[in-house]
Amino acid sequence: MNSNKNLSETIRRIVADEELSDERDVRAATAPFQAEFPYEREEEAQVTRREFCNFLGLTSAALFVGATGFAAKAALDSRKSESLAAARIDGAEILTPNSSLNFSYPTERDSAILVRTVDGAYHAYGQKCTHLSCPVYYSRDHQRLECPCHEGAFDVATGGVLYGPPPRALDAIEIETRDGQVWAIGRSPSAPKDGSS
Amino acid sequence: MGALETLIMKSTSDGNRQSKSGQAAVWQARLIMLVMINIAQLWILAATVDAALARHYSVLLPLVIASGLCFVITLSIIKWWRPTSRKKTSSGYVREDR
């Protein structure tokens, strides 16, 4: 009788082909409060392989969207050509040689830096480092523009890369002097170091 | 307990164990591939940011295509690369559906 029961149970298991959970290491209830407040521990305890797979799939989608978005924005920005209005740079006329002044051009969000070199010439550049957009500053001791984030440096006269990771020169801001005042009249993005685009 | 029953019990137990370990191996392989693809995509995203900031526009499209390809492979792994069958035989071997 007993053997018949076992045989039936065995056959039932084979026929049913039950889908077993692939979780083998689910935490057991150990603390008293866990017995008093029962809940589906198997669902709660751990992340299943299936959930982790789905998470990796979502991560893959997010990385793809990120890469596409970044590339699309860069491509759109490269095609945007706008005529910029001239803007007076306040305080430029009283700038002493071997010093710098921050200003915004062409919009308030675009920070820029005006440098008056030792010989009295003015040079202006966009303040974003071309490596990862940290703001550059003028080093009076070394007479060059330096990026504090990854130690890149730019030539103050040309905006070209002296050393460090930046892949191209700083964006130059065209300036001119009108009646003793310094005006920004345009902005020209720099080309890549190897000339490709 | 009869000899036949003992034999069936043993073979079923061995079969389940083999089948489960096979499924676990497939799951492990899938996870490893997905993680590797995610790492590759992370590298591609970093390269895209680098190229965009450096204004190397000619490499942006290949990078986006590569990232898309990785995403398609990820989807195919999640959707279709599964154990072929869950039907277990008494000998423990997996039988394909016909």
Side-chain angles (χ1 to χ4, degrees):
Chain A
M1 187 69 180
N2 191 24
S3 66
N4 280 344
K5 189 181 171 191
N6 284 340
L7 184 60
S8 308
E9 177 64 20
T10 305
I11 292 170
R12 188 194 67 75
R13 282 174 55 195
I14 294 170
V15 171
D17 190 22
E18 292 167 355
E19 187 174 350
L20 301 172
S21 167
D22 61 351
E23 296 304 309
R24 298 175 183 175
D25 193 24
V26 175
R27 283 182 291 163
T30 49
F33 72 87
Q34 291 171 334
E36 292 168 10
F37 298 96
Y39 53 91
E40 293 292 334
R41 296 193 59 75
E42 192 166 349
E43 291 178 6
E44 183 269 346
Q46 292 180 342
V47 176
T48 63
R49 285 181 188 149
R50 193 180 303 277
E51 285 170 347
F52 189 52
C53 263
N54 292 337
F55 168 74
L56 290 174
L58 284 175
T59 308
S60 175
L63 290 170
F64 173 54
V65 169
T68 307
F70 219 97
K73 185 179 181 307
L76 285 176
D77 287 349
S78 71
R79 292 180 183 178
K80 195 167 28 178
S81 61
E82 53 188 347
S83 56
L84 303 175
R88 192 170 71 86
I89 303 173
D90 291 330
E93 57 279 1
I94 57 170
L95 196 64
T96 56
N98 199 25
S99 59
S100 66
L101 171 74
N102 288 345
F103 64 103
S104 297
Y105 185 80
T107 67
E108 281 298 313
R109 293 173 55 194
D110 299 311
S111 60
I113 185 166
L114 176 75
V115 179
R116 191 171 189 190
T117 53
V118 179
D119 58 5
Y122 289 101
H123 300 279
Y125 302 98
Q127 208 183 2
K128 281 183 184 174
C129 176
T130 53
H131 179 220
L132 289 175
S133 301
C134 291
V136 297
Y137 69 93
Y138 178 63
S139 167
R140 299 177 71 165
D141 295 338
H142 302 108
Q143 296 179 15
R144 65 190 177 208
L145 290 159
E146 293 182 351
C147 177
C149 293
H150 301 100
E151 299 187 354
F154 302 89
D155 184 57
V156 74
T158 63
V161 181
L162 293 175
Y163 61 83
R168 60 183 172 85
L170 291 171
D171 292 342
I173 292 177
E174 297 151 26
I175 52 175
E176 69 177 24
T177 307
R178 300 175 184 173
D179 302 328
Q181 296 176 330
V182 181
W183 288 69
I185 58 170
R187 184 177 174 126
S188 54
S190 64
K193 211 188 268 182
D194 57 5
S196 65
S197 61
Chain B
M1 189 178 288
L4 174 64
E5 186 187 343
T6 308
L7 184 65
I8 290 176
M9 286 281 284
K10 186 174 182 309
S11 63
T12 305
S13 168
D14 289 349
N16 277 341
R17 201 180 305 124
Q18 283 177 15
S19 179
K20 280 178 74 174
S21 69
Q23 284 191 20
V26 173
W27 272 102
Q28 292 286 81
R30 293 176 74 198
L31 284 177
I32 288 168
M33 281 194 287
L34 288 175
V35 168
M36 285 171 67
I37 289 171
N38 267 227
I39 290 169
Q41 270 193 296
L42 202 58
W43 182 87
I44 289 170
L45 178 62
T48 307
V49 172
D50 215 29
L53 288 172
R55 297 194 175 142
H56 289 146
Y57 299 120
S58 58
V59 298
L60 288 178
L61 188 61
L63 285 168
V64 169
I65 290 171
S67 186
L69 200 62
C70 287
F71 177 56
V72 170
I73 294 171
T74 300
L75 274 187
S76 75
I77 289 173
I78 290 175
K79 285 282 178 191
W80 296 300
W81 293 13
R82 291 173 177 276
T84 53
S85 168
R86 289 183 177 178
K87 294 200 170 178
K88 293 178 279 291
T89 64
S90 58
S91 63
Y93 289 102
V94 174
R95 182 169 52 209
E96 286 187 23
D97 290 327
R98 292 183 187 274

